[in-house]
Amino acid sequence: MGSRHFELIFDHLGHYGRFQKVLYLICAFQNISCGIHYLASVFMGVAPYHVCRPPGNVSRVVFHNHSNWSLEDSGALLSSGHKDYVAVQLQNGEIWELSRCSRSKRENTSSLDYEYTGSKKEFPCVDGYIYDQNKWKSTAVTQWNLVCDRKWLAMLIQPLFMFGVLLGSVTFGYFADRLGRRVVLWATSSGMFLFGIAAAFAADYYTFMAARFFLAMVASGYLVVGFVYVMEFIGMKYRTWASVHMHTFFAAGTLLVALTGYLVRTWWLYQMILSTVTVPFILCCWVLPETPLWLLSEGRYEEAQKIVDIIAKWNRTSSCKLSELLSLDLQGPVGNSPAEVQKHNLSYLFYNWSIATRTLTVWLIWFTGSLGFYSFSLNSINLGGNEYLNLFLLGVVEIPAYTFVCIAMDKVGRRTVLVFALFCSALACGVIMVIPQKHYVLGVATAMVGKFAIGAAFGLIYLYTAELYPTIVRSLAVGSGSMVCRLASILAPFSVDLRSIWIFIPQMFVGTMAFLSGVLTLKLPETLGKRLASTWEEAAKLESENERNSSKLLPTTNNIGLEKTEAITPRDSGLGE
């Protein structure tokens, strides 16, 4: 069944009636849970200041000229990068120097002076660590001592999660094509709750990582399949706005992470509370119907007709007979003589030198958008000031960014908006690097500008990619772009960790990539108001015609909404996140 034929159904039932609005809100609400789990590690995986635990009970603590500190508070004194230590005297008279990753026993125990030049023997931290609890009561790092020689295990928390995101999008996209969208939505949502709770009650680090990995797979699976599910119910006239604003609900998850992190400072309780956000959807998802489009593709005409009748009843419109409207033979396959779809591999994205350059540029934009999105979010706790407020503000600013994209892309064009967003994010990264750290308010404000810009680019690249490629490779182009995007999300946490070498490495990486992407985007064609091509030959012909008649077409997004969505199957689609 052709996409234009199926659009006739929406002309009868309504493109965005009461039924579609309720369904959209239910499914989009679950995107909040996905946004939560994607960024929960911002606070759950933080490493507080710490010192080596002494081998006995402490009677006195000395740090420089201060001797009235408790050992529990001493970790805050050892700021990252300093080689200071805390001198303690045990109840048995021994004097130890405690640093972040080692401890030394003094041979001379006659006086507890901070400065000591005598002989001492160094020992490893076999008794664990004492962590500063002024900001966090406990985190996954403090739970399993993921510091010093075990720090690399903490660095894997977010990258392994993002690797699960990559696998989940492919796996559950395949199941959605075979089993249907509805069953996958229920399975992934239930999995998000179960694996989220499992992560909270994990007995050891490896169980925790395994639970988080499967949590990432089902969360990613829901994002991909949920997007396709909603788009198959919404008519062409509203599809662009609806698809872009699915990101808005994802951003709302970021706000809940910041709020919950501020109120709950114990990591397992924090994780458990965040996991309960998916419960309302689990209670509601059983009433969600299968999409008529998938049912028709499987030859289940009577079931599809029942769903159409339900939509008509909700929207208070007259129903329509699918057999009459689409000329279906209910005794045979859809359309009786379906056209054979020719499969294409990745090499078709490198059809010639010009197309190869376009593909590499598009991949770079996908990579930059994802790298910038997660670098800004994960680095929010390092900007200074209140970490929770920082993340909250960086989440809030995404919401107007997506609204800006929806309006501006129809006014000035996709390429213009994308170039503007990429250059603004590059400029913001550069400004952050020259702002003195003591003026952290300016740094946070500039980071908000950068997050707004990269969020706008991230929200637009999905649509722009679909318009840049002909029908024969459109799914492949968007699917390959989303894979590159997820590769960047795996690397983003490592980029943030490199700030231990130089605090501005994340901004330098994102700024450089954004500037380079912006320059290369100038070479891409504008797609606003242009008819979509089916083949590369047709695309080349259209581009040459568009160059001669660029002023004759009026802006519109409605001409691409349906074809784009139905050309992209769950196996190779997905929101940028």
Side-chain angles (χ1 to χ4, degrees):
M1 180 182 59
S3 60
R4 288 183 173 83
H5 292 142
F6 191 75
E7 193 65 19
L8 295 174
I9 296 176
F10 293 112
D11 291 336
H12 281 75
L13 304 179
H15 288 254
Y16 193 58
R18 187 170 62 164
F19 177 88
Q20 287 100 326
K21 291 176 182 177
V22 172
L23 181 140
Y24 181 81
L25 288 175
I26 292 175
C27 295
F29 177 84
Q30 183 66 350
N31 271 24
I32 297 176
S33 293
C34 297
I36 283 172
H37 293 302
Y38 273 50
L39 291 174
S41 66
V42 171
F43 300 124
M44 187 166 53
V46 72
Y49 296 136
H50 59 275
V51 293
C52 221
R53 185 180 294 276
N57 295 324
V58 176
S59 60
R60 287 185 62 195
V61 178
V62 174
F63 181 79
H64 289 288
N65 296 324
H66 304 280
S67 60
N68 57 344
W69 295 95
S70 67
L71 189 56
E72 287 71 20
D73 295 330
S74 61
L77 302 174
L78 300 181
S79 58
S80 179
H82 288 76
K83 296 183 179 180
D84 291 333
Y85 59 86
V86 177
V88 299
Q89 187 173 45
L90 306 184
Q91 291 181 352
N92 62 8
E94 294 180 351
I95 298 178
W96 289 77
E97 295 179 2
L98 310 177
S99 61
R100 293 172 60 86
C101 295
S102 64
R103 57 185 182 177
S104 302
K105 179 182 177 182
R106 293 180 180 179
E107 298 294 337
N108 186 350
T109 60
S110 59
S111 64
L112 183 59
D113 295 325
Y114 186 78
E115 299 295 337
Y116 176 77
T117 57
S119 60
K120 51 189 176 182
K121 185 178 296 185
E122 187 170 319
F123 296 88
C125 299
V126 294
D127 295 305
Y129 304 86
I130 294 177
Y131 297 93
D132 173 37
Q133 296 185 347
N134 289 325
K135 292 184 178 180
W136 298 281
K137 295 296 182 183
S138 70
T139 68
V141 171
T142 66
Q143 181 77 21
W144 295 296
N145 290 326
L146 306 181
V147 294
C148 299
D149 58 338
R150 289 169 56 86
K151 182 180 179 181
W152 66 276
L153 293 174
M155 295 173 63
L156 291 178
I157 291 177
Q158 187 68 8
L160 186 64
F161 182 93
M162 287 302 176
F163 183 66
V165 167
L166 190 154
L167 293 183
S169 62
V170 177
T171 303
F172 287 101
Y174 173 83
F175 287 140
D177 281 346
R178 294 294 179 267
L179 306 177
R181 284 69 160 118
R182 182 172 180 261
V183 65
V184 173
L185 292 184
W186 182 87
T188 53
S189 299
S190 301
M192 286 171 66
F193 175 74
L194 295 176
F195 289 121
I197 297 297
F201 290 100
D204 55 64
Y205 168 80
Y206 298 102
T207 303
F208 168 76
M209 292 293 281
R212 288 262 302 167
F213 178 80
F214 291 116
L215 174 61
M217 288 190 65
V218 294
S220 173
Y222 178 86
L223 274 180
V224 171
V225 179
F227 176 82
V228 173
Y229 177 82
V230 169
M231 292 303 106
E232 289 182 352
F233 274 107
I234 296 178
M236 181 174 59
K237 295 180 180 178
Y238 296 92
R239 190 163 292 153
T240 298
W241 273 77
S243 63
V244 172
H245 279 290
M246 291 289 281
H247 294 277
T248 301
F249 289 86
F250 187 93
T254 305
L255 308 185
L256 284 180
V257 168
L259 180 61
T260 307
Y262 175 76
L263 297 175
V264 182
R265 307 298 177 93
T266 303
W267 79 269
W268 62 268
L269 184 59
Y270 160 88
Q271 171 67 23
M272 187 170 64
I273 292 174
L274 291 177
S275 298
T276 61
V277 176
T278 197
V279 171
F281 180 83
I282 295 176
L283 297 178
C284 294
C285 68
W286 65 273
V287 302
L288 297 177
E290 185 54 79
T291 69
L293 184 59
W294 185 83
L295 291 172
L296 289 170
S297 71
E298 294 292 307
R300 296 159 63 175
Y301 313 124
E302 293 184 2
E303 295 178 58
Q305 183 65 60
K306 290 179 181 179
I307 303 302
V308 169
D309 294 340
I310 292 174
I311 297 175
K313 184 177 180 180
W314 272 73
N315 290 350
R316 297 172 182 171
T317 60
S318 59
S319 186
C320 57
K321 293 294 183 181
L322 295 178
S323 57
E324 298 175 2
L325 188 63
L326 305 173
S327 302
L328 293 177
D329 180 5
L330 299 183
Q331 305 301 320
V334 178
N336 278 336
S337 55
E340 182 179 350
V341 179
Q342 186 179 3
K343 300 292 184 180
H344 297 282
N345 56 38
L346 199 63
S347 64
Y348 280 79
L349 297 180
F350 298 86
Y351 180 76
N352 55 38
W353 175 253
S354 175
I355 300 305
T357 303
R358 175 182 302 186
T359 297
L360 293 176
T361 299
V362 169
W363 284 359
L364 180 63
I365 300 170
W366 278 93
F367 186 91
T368 301
S370 182
L371 181 69
F373 183 90
Y374 287 104
S375 292
F376 275 115
S377 298
L378 297 175
N379 197 46
S380 61
I381 62 174
N382 301 316
L383 295 175
N386 189 298
E387 297 90 346
Y388 308 99
L389 181 60
N390 292 349
L391 182 63
F392 186 87
L393 293 175
L394 291 180
V396 165
V397 79
E398 288 182 52
I399 299 174
Y402 301 136
T403 303
F404 164 77
V405 166
C406 287
I407 297 174
M409 68 180 181
D410 285 346
K411 300 295 184 181
V412 298
R414 283 83 156 117
R415 183 181 61 184
T416 303
V417 173
L418 187 58
V419 170
F420 173 78
L422 289 170
F423 281 154
C424 278
S425 60
L427 179 62
C429 289
V431 172
I432 291 175
M433 295 172 64
V434 299
I435 294 176
Q437 285 187 283
K438 62 180 180 180
H439 300 302
Y440 61 84
V441 174
L442 291 177
V444 173
T446 308
M448 290 176 64
V449 174
K451 184 66 177 298
F452 176 95
I454 209 70
F458 209 22
L460 179 58
I461 186 58
Y462 184 87
L463 175 65
Y464 189 41
T465 301
E467 295 178 342
L468 282 172
Y469 290 86
T471 303
I472 59 171
V473 290
R474 185 169 296 122
S475 295
L476 186 62
V478 177
S480 64
S482 66
M483 291 298 104
V484 173
C485 158
R486 292 182 177 100
L487 175 62
S489 68
I490 294 173
L491 297 177
F494 293 117
S495 171
V496 175
D497 288 332
L498 288 176
R499 71 181 306 276
S500 59
I501 300 175
W502 186 45
I503 59 173
F504 294 123
I505 282 184
Q507 289 84 0
M508 183 185 69
F509 282 166
V510 174
T512 302
M513 299 292 287
F515 180 80
L516 179 60
S517 299
V519 172
L520 294 177
T521 302
L522 292 171
K523 299 293 184 180
L524 295 177
E526 178 56 69
T527 60
L528 176 61
K530 306 299 189 292
R531 183 165 62 90
L532 295 181
S534 297
T535 64
W536 281 125
E537 291 77 7
E538 184 182 348
K541 182 179 179 181
L542 284 174
E543 284 186 23
S544 61
E545 291 177 356
N546 289 334
E547 289 177 1
R548 295 193 301 267
N549 307 309
S550 59
S551 61
K552 294 182 180 180
L553 291 175
L554 295 177
T556 179
T557 57
N558 293 342
N559 62 330
I560 60 90
L562 181 66
E563 185 177 355
K564 171 182 74 71
T565 300
E566 293 191 351
I568 303 168
T569 66
R571 275 171 286 173
D572 52 22
S573 71
L575 295 177
E577 288 86 12

